[in-house]
Amino acid sequence: MKAIILEDEPAATENLQLILTEVAPEIELVGSFDSVRAAEAWLAEQPMPDLIFSDIQLADGLAFHLFERQKIDCPLIFITAFDEYAIRAFELNSISYLLKPVRPAEVQKALQKLRKSQGIPPTADLYGQLHRWIQEERGTHYRQSFLVRYRDQYLPVAVEDFAYFYIDNELVFGQTKEVGIRYLIDQKLEELEQQLAPNNFFRANRQLVVARNAIHRLKQHTHGRLQLFLEPAPPEMPLVSKAKAGALKQWLDR
């Protein structure tokens, strides 16, 4: 059985590869892609694989855009960070999914579910329905505020008061628009990304989710990457990969 992975986080791709080697050695991985554009180009030139593992959010957009444009004649197993609306949609439509961080037992369970369904792929129309349903549901349920701890108190802080969220020494912090004021956020960055309105926040890299109005300017860097200048300035100047640079420019230019 030949399979491909659509995932824009290298660590997540590597983790899934290791798990498949352990629990499903019959699966041969023939490619991994971090963007809709790269996956579309590969599928246009290569035979359809027997199975696709796909994250929902790729470097240049939602995977649904690929599945709605490209005829997919093989089953899919979706991969997602916690998103109750996506999970509910998949469960209602009996679609297999894996919840990040992916674990061996869950991979086995998803593969068993796939075998019981005889590997019948959903139609492009169903992908479109799932896409619209998830977007509509999430659109009215984005996080509005955080209850953060400050000394011996808990403070409600509105989402619009944050300039960006970032990882520092394996902890997630929310930097407010006021210089020097940040709060520890008791969630993973992947979870936050799913809870924040995509019109206002962008996952710039593995360590950073940034608000639109916190980006002061962009500067071309080496190898097609972009350097971000933020206000307030972060401890280190963040870089955006070549794969995500185009998506970031489009996001800012609308």
Side-chain angles (χ1 to χ4, degrees), residues 31-246:
S32 63
F33 310 96
D34 66 357
S35 68
V36 172
R37 182 178 300 177
E40 191 168 24
W42 188 90
L43 288 168
E45 299 291 335
Q46 301 295 328
M48 185 66 57
D50 301 303
L51 176 62
I52 296 175
F53 294 90
S54 178
D55 195 357
I56 295 177
Q57 181 68 55
L58 300 177
D60 57 353
L62 296 175
F64 289 114
H65 295 147
L66 169 65
F67 305 137
E68 291 164 18
R69 293 198 302 259
Q70 182 95 22
K71 182 175 173 57
I72 303 295
D73 293 325
C74 71
L76 281 97
I77 295 178
F78 282 98
I79 309 167
T80 181
F82 180 75
D83 185 323
E84 60 181 297
Y85 308 111
I87 289 172
R88 183 179 167 200
F90 296 154
E91 289 178 340
L92 287 174
N93 290 279
S94 299
I95 293 176
S96 297
Y97 68 91
L98 296 170
L99 190 61
K100 291 183 178 181
V102 175
R103 295 181 173 86
E106 297 304 314
V107 174
Q108 288 180 314
K109 182 179 177 181
L111 290 172
Q112 288 171 359
K113 180 178 180 180
L114 200 63
R115 294 185 186 104
K116 288 180 180 179
S117 69
Q118 299 179 333
I120 300 173
T123 64
D125 182 58
L126 178 56
Y127 293 134
Q129 291 176 23
L130 286 169
H131 184 184
R132 291 188 293 272
W133 192 89
I134 292 170
Q135 291 295 85
E136 288 171 2
E137 287 294 303
R138 289 174 57 187
T140 58
H141 292 86
Y142 289 121
R143 182 184 275 275
Q144 301 297 312
S145 65
F146 290 85
L147 188 64
V148 299
R149 187 168 183 173
Y150 179 71
R151 297 177 181 172
D152 61 345
Q153 304 176 67
Y154 289 92
L155 306 175
V157 182
V159 165
E160 57 263 30
D161 290 338
F162 286 96
Y164 46 85
F165 300 88
Y166 66 103
I167 297 174
D168 184 12
N169 290 323
E170 300 184 357
L171 297 174
V172 175
F173 291 92
Q175 171 63 55
T176 69
K177 295 176 181 178
E178 190 171 346
V179 177
I181 297 182
R182 69 174 190 174
Y183 298 106
L184 179 64
I185 306 295
D186 189 23
Q187 284 186 276
K188 294 180 180 179
L189 204 61
E190 288 77 12
E191 295 173 354
L192 288 179
E193 180 187 6
Q194 299 290 333
Q195 297 170 10
L196 297 169
N199 284 339
N200 300 326
F201 288 88
F202 185 87
R203 181 70 179 270
N205 56 40
R206 282 181 288 176
Q207 288 79 36
L208 177 69
V209 173
V210 61
R212 182 187 298 271
N213 56 17
I215 300 176
H216 178 57
R217 61 189 172 95
L218 311 175
K219 182 180 179 181
Q220 200 68 40
H221 200 67
T222 57
H223 307 296
R225 295 177 295 175
L226 290 174
Q227 192 172 15
L228 282 182
F229 291 83
L230 307 179
E231 293 183 352
E236 296 182 7
M237 198 68 69
L239 294 176
V240 179
S241 69
K242 180 179 179 181
K244 283 197 171 185

Side-chain angles (χ1 to χ4, degrees), residues 212 247-254:
R212 182 187 298 271
L248 175 61
K249 288 178 181 177
Q250 291 179 5
W251 179 71
L252 288 170
D253 191 31
R254 66 183 186 192

